[in-house]
Amino acid sequence: MRLGIDIGSTTVKLILLDQKDHILYSRYERHMSNVFETVVDLLKKMYEELGDVKLRPVITGSGGLSLANLLRIPFEQEVITCSAAVETLIPQTDVAIELGGEDAKITFYGQTIEQRMNGTCAGGTGAFIDQMAVLLNTDAQGLNEAAKKHTMIYPIAARCGVFAKTDIQPLINEGAAIEDLAASIFQAVVNQTISGLACGHTIKGRVAFLGGPLSFLSELRKRFIETLELADDEVIFPENSKYFVAIGAAMKASKSEEISFAEIIQRAEHADPAKLSDTKHIAPLFVDEKEYEAFCARHDRDKIRRKDISTASGPVFLGIDAGSTTTKAALIDEDKNLLYSYYVGNEGKPLAATMNMLRELYSKLPKEAYIAKVTTTGYGENLIKSAFKADLGEIETMAHYKAAEEFLPGVDFILDIGGQDMKCMRIKDGAIYNIMLNEACSSGCGSFIETYAKSVNLDVKDFAKEALFADAPVDLGTRCTVFMNSKVKQAQKEGATIGDISAGLSYSVIKNALYKVIKLRNPEEAGEKIVVQGGTFLNDAVLRAIEDILGKEIVRPDIAGLMGAYGAALIARKQTREGDVSSLLKLEDLDAFSVETSHVRCGRCENHCLMTINKFNDGTRFFTGNRCERGEGKVKAADHELPNLQAQSGIRPVRPSGGRVPGARHKNHQRHLSSHGKELVGGGFLCYNWL
């Protein structure tokens, strides 16, 4: 008999085959990062049922190499084992799509086998589906049942769990049906798998669907089939598809040394699981409280001037920063004193959060003061500006720069880490010359830290405090949030404290920003005058981590989370002229404010964008999701039609000479020919067929 053990990123699979490849025994179980304990437990249960039989074992899978060495059992790479099962059981396969807990693979079979696998991102895997299911208060199977009744598909980012969460939360708040959200999540997985792994390689022919998620989730398979436009005879969904890698391992075990089951159990019982650990630790953030107190005293110097709003008079200036996960506001006077500030998680409802802010502001603003100008910025800049009749809108990088320059004149390096965004700005001679963003990954951003803090029933502030004096911070690397979750679980099983994990996450945030997003080669590239901002840097552990890594003292304003709003307020102040009064909705207008949200599929061009339309109580509308202006009705198709040049005065037909190409010089003139051989008098050139 041959035993195949497949140790994946989240599950363990056992398969026992006889000489005719018949399955005698099978088990499928989640290991919850307890790989050794789970495997040993499954082997003992199997031993109890089968007795001391002779076996030829092989271990495979992404998490199997260390265990194979520990138990002295042969290891086979999973590409080889999976291919062995495919070529034996379903030889007609042209392409195999396999989804696991954290792995996604596409294997192309032909004269040579070519495999594509996710490396840095686990978006579009089983763990990603689990994360999204938790967001909808269900599980993966619940998503599957809900998706069977869907009526529409929403665009959701699958490249990153944090980005996907940001896409889903507003839809939940807008009342989107869980059935539609479930199907949309599955479609996001499909899009991520195809676009991220196929890399231009056409998926055609007979396609096999393998792995746990594709075995258990029929609606996920359906989304793949519809997206790839597969006919019934092109779909291969084999029996025991979730065991295929383990089956392949058992098939490859024919060449392994035969040993007794009792010997395997004995090796497992005498093995040291500590040797499986690859968890590394790094230096503590602070040696003692005295060092921390000195750190706090230094950063307490970087404070904004404040003034009680009740003493305000004359013109005041409001900045609103509508971020991806938070809404911030700052009100300043003519002397740049901060009169009022607002910082709250918007829960996917930026309009509601902004309205609450305005009501609170109006209740505190004295009659002697008036709002002269309002600037919006951030993720929801245009939405907030349109809804509440703000005066100006400014790109958030400029708002952040203006705020940083106010705190540290001559600043040359700004790092902003928010809920899901990371931004790095380099400044030279008073101008931003380089901007870098995290476009595909939000590993370790504020949202991830917040989510993990909630999972251990701690407030973010308390979670950060746990990190300050942790003895052995865990090195979690700079991987995607899904991978980091697994590493966190593994570290916990090995005795890591909440403080060790919190400190480790603080280091990971900075390493991800500096080495993955900015791609620094050495600390000198970070500049000399450095300002950090964003709500994530209110965490002292994160601030300490960047100072340790760069070996430099950093300026963190006491309003680090409000810098976008403060910068917007500064811009509003600068743009104000004497006698200006803001067009911002007044308090009585807020009472009448309402918004209706609808989703439509635009048909005005070939993009067919799924648009969100916000219709306000005054009849105005704001569109999002459209990739061109036609969706808003501002541009008609006729506006892009080519002009009739012959009908225009001064245009006459010209016969191109010889073999001349249109547009070539004609005799000694610089007369230009259009692609239709029409000359534009006066030397004007319109090559409308070439554009």
Side-chain angles (χ1 to χ4, degrees):
M1 290 183 286
R2 296 160 295 165
L3 176 64
I5 305 174
D6 175 18
I7 302 172
S9 50
T10 60
T11 57
V12 173
K13 285 81 69 178
L14 267 65
I15 281 287
L16 186 66
L17 299 181
D18 64 13
Q19 295 304 312
K20 295 183 179 180
D21 292 338
H22 295 145
I23 297 176
L24 303 176
Y25 186 92
S26 63
R27 287 292 183 273
Y28 183 105
E29 192 165 315
R30 288 183 177 249
H31 55 62
M32 308 302 290
S33 298
N34 264 331
V35 174
F36 180 81
E37 291 83 353
T38 304
V39 171
V40 172
D41 184 58
L42 289 174
L43 287 173
K44 286 182 177 180
K45 289 179 179 177
M46 186 176 174
Y47 179 68
E48 290 172 2
E49 291 187 36
L50 301 179
D52 189 18
V53 296
K54 294 285 187 178
L55 298 172
R56 298 181 188 272
V58 162
I59 292 178
T60 190
S62 56
L65 182 58
S66 298
L67 185 63
N69 293 332
L70 189 66
L71 299 180
R72 304 192 305 279
I73 292 175
F75 176 82
E76 197 71 71
Q77 217 281 331
E78 58 190 302
V79 178
I80 297 172
T81 56
C82 185
S83 297
V86 169
E87 291 169 357
T88 303
L89 302 177
I90 44 174
Q92 70 273 29
T93 300
D94 296 306
V95 182
I97 298 175
E98 181 190 352
L99 297 186
E102 295 176 3
D103 302 326
K105 308 182 195 71
I106 297 181
T107 307
F108 299 92
Y109 295 93
Q111 292 183 341
T112 59
I113 296 175
E114 183 180 355
Q115 186 178 68
R116 313 282 177 80
M117 181 177 175
N118 64 321
T120 59
C121 179
T125 63
F128 171 84
I129 294 172
D130 286 342
Q131 282 187 354
M132 298 302 105
V134 170
L135 197 61
L136 297 178
N137 297 314
T138 183
D139 55 16
Q141 203 57 51
L143 283 184
N144 191 68
E145 291 304 310
K148 293 178 180 178
K149 303 174 184 177
H150 82 278
T151 57
M152 69 182 299
I153 302 289
Y154 297 104
I156 293 173
R159 67 190 186 279
C160 175
V162 177
F163 291 159
K165 178 183 175 182
T166 306
D167 285 344
I168 291 174
Q169 193 64 59
L171 293 171
I172 295 173
N173 296 332
E174 291 166 7
I178 186 174
E179 293 82 3
D180 295 335
L181 291 174
S184 302
I185 290 167
F186 289 153
Q187 186 62 52
V189 171
V190 172
N191 296 343
Q192 170 71 359
T193 304
I194 295 173
S195 62
L197 300 184
C199 303
H201 202 304
T202 304
I203 301 175
K204 60 181 180 180
R206 287 156 293 197
V207 180
F209 296 102
L210 310 174
L214 287 169
S215 296
F216 298 120
L217 306 175
S218 59
E219 291 303 300
L220 179 60
R221 293 197 306 274
K222 187 177 179 180
R223 298 259 44 88
F224 268 106
I225 293 167
E226 290 186 9
T227 302
L228 296 172
E229 299 179 348
L230 299 177
D232 291 344
D233 61 348
E234 293 176 324
V235 177
I236 302 173
F237 180 51
E239 188 180 3
N240 299 308
S241 62
K242 61 183 179 289
Y243 291 112
F244 250 57
V245 175
I247 291 171
M251 290 176 174
K252 289 292 193 180
S254 301
K255 300 178 182 178
S256 299
E257 179 186 352
E258 190 175 62
I259 60 173
S260 68
F261 210 149
E263 174 66 17
I264 297 176
I265 299 298
Q266 188 178 17
R267 291 179 185 180
E269 288 176 342
H270 289 84
D272 182 8
K275 294 182 179 180
L276 291 174
S277 174
D278 60 352
T279 301
K280 299 178 181 177
H281 297 273
I282 44 187
L285 292 166
F286 296 99
V287 176
D288 50 34
E289 291 194 18
K290 186 177 179 180
E291 188 178 30
Y292 177 57
E293 288 171 2
F295 168 86
C296 292
R298 173 162 55 85
H299 285 287
D300 283 344
R301 298 195 299 263
D302 303 314
K303 288 187 174 181
I304 193 172
R305 298 192 308 274
R306 299 173 186 267
K307 195 173 179 181
D308 195 311
I309 191 173
S310 63
T311 64
S313 63
V316 293
F317 316 95
L318 179 63
I320 302 173
D321 181 5
S324 54
T325 58
T326 56
T327 295
K328 290 84 66 177
L331 186 75
I332 63 173
D333 61 15
E334 289 188 295
D335 296 324
K336 305 178 186 177
N337 296 304
L338 183 65
L339 303 171
Y340 169 83
S341 63
Y342 186 82
Y343 188 110
V344 69
N346 59 36
E347 301 294 331
K349 296 181 179 179
L351 291 175
T354 304
M355 181 179 291
N356 291 336
M357 179 274 296
L358 290 175
R359 289 185 184 278
E360 183 179 283
L361 175 58
Y362 279 129
S363 70
K364 295 182 177 183
L365 191 67
K367 294 180 180 180
E368 295 79 15
Y370 65 92
I371 300 174
K373 196 78 75 177
V374 179
T375 301
T376 62
T377 191
Y379 187 80
E381 170 203 331
N382 291 320
L383 173 62
I384 301 303
K385 182 185 175 187
S386 177
F388 298 102
K389 312 303 180 198
D391 307 289
L392 305 168
E394 183 60 80
I395 187 169
E396 59 187 308
T397 50
M398 185 56 66
H400 284 289
Y401 167 57
K402 292 295 185 184
E405 180 70 22
E406 191 68 25
F407 271 89
L408 183 62
V411 58
D412 57 7
F413 189 91
I414 302 169
L415 180 62
D416 183 286
I417 302 180
Q420 69 167 27
D421 301 321
M422 292 183 189
K423 295 181 285 292
C424 168
M425 290 166 272
R426 287 190 169 102
I427 297 97
K428 188 175 182 181
D429 298 328
I432 301 174
Y433 74 92
N434 194 5
I435 301 172
M436 284 165 285
L437 309 171
N438 61 319
E439 296 178 343
C441 179
S442 195
S443 173
C445 281
S447 181
F448 176 65
I449 295 177
E450 182 183 10
T451 300
Y452 188 80
K454 287 181 179 177
S455 72
V456 292
N457 297 315
L458 283 176
D459 178 80
V460 176
K461 292 181 180 179
D462 294 331
F463 184 66
K465 288 178 181 177
E466 292 286 336
L468 299 176
F469 305 107
D471 295 324
V474 179
D475 188 357
L476 298 171
T478 58
R479 306 182 77 194
C480 114
T481 54
V482 175
F483 294 148
M484 287 177 69
N485 257 323
S486 293
K487 208 158 187 177
V488 165
K489 290 176 184 176
Q490 183 181 337
Q492 284 179 306
K493 303 293 188 214
E494 296 170 6
T497 65
I498 291 176
D500 293 333
I501 291 167
S502 180
L505 286 174
S506 301
Y507 276 109
S508 290
V509 167
I510 301 305
K511 289 178 179 178
N512 187 69
L514 298 180
Y515 301 139
K516 285 184 69 177
V517 178
I518 306 170
K519 296 180 174 61
L520 287 185
R521 289 170 292 185
N522 55 71
E524 284 70 31
E525 292 183 354
E528 295 302 321
K529 291 188 175 183
I530 304 171
V531 173
V532 296
Q533 51 193 43
T536 304
F537 279 110
L538 295 173
N539 184 330
D540 284 343
V542 175
L543 180 61
R544 178 66 172 186
I546 190 172
E547 290 192 335
D548 281 355
I549 292 171
L550 292 179
K552 299 180 180 184
E553 290 189 358
I554 308 294
V555 171
R556 178 201 58 186
D558 65 325
I559 57 165
L562 293 171
M563 292 292 275
Y566 179 57
L570 291 172
I571 292 169
R573 174 185 173 274
K574 188 175 181 180
Q575 295 293 324
T576 300
R577 301 291 178 263
E578 189 175 351
D580 283 354
V581 178
S582 175
S583 59
L584 184 72
L585 293 183
K586 302 297 185 289
L587 182 60
E588 56 270 21
D589 299 321
L590 294 177
D591 294 332
F593 179 84
S594 65
V595 59
E596 294 179 6
T597 303
S598 59
H599 304 277
V600 297
R601 183 75 65 179
C602 180
R604 299 194 178 195
C605 76
E606 61 275 9
N607 286 325
H608 299 292
C609 301
L610 181 61
M611 300 192 307
T612 299
I613 303 175
N614 294 281
K615 187 177 181 181
F616 306 114
N617 59 291
D618 63 356
T620 59
R621 295 186 299 174
F622 181 77
F623 297 76
T624 57
N626 51 305
R627 282 168 279 182
C628 73
E629 293 181 334
R630 293 186 189 179
E632 299 181 47
K634 295 180 179 180
V635 180
K636 298 179 180 178
D639 296 338
H640 290 288
E641 291 179 358
L642 298 174
N644 185 347
L645 297 182
Q646 288 185 341
Q648 302 197 22
S649 93
I651 299 178
R652 56 188 175 80
V654 174
R655 179 177 296 178
S657 53
R660 292 183 182 272
V661 296
R665 292 178 184 268
H666 182 64
K667 294 185 178 180
N668 297 323
H669 311 294
Q670 290 193 13
R671 292 176 173 174
H672 298 282
L673 305 176
S674 77
S675 59
H676 288 295
K678 300 178 180 69
E679 183 184 19
L680 308 185
V681 174
F685 181 42
L686 180 62
C687 183
Y688 56 84
N689 257 21
W690 294 349
L691 299 177

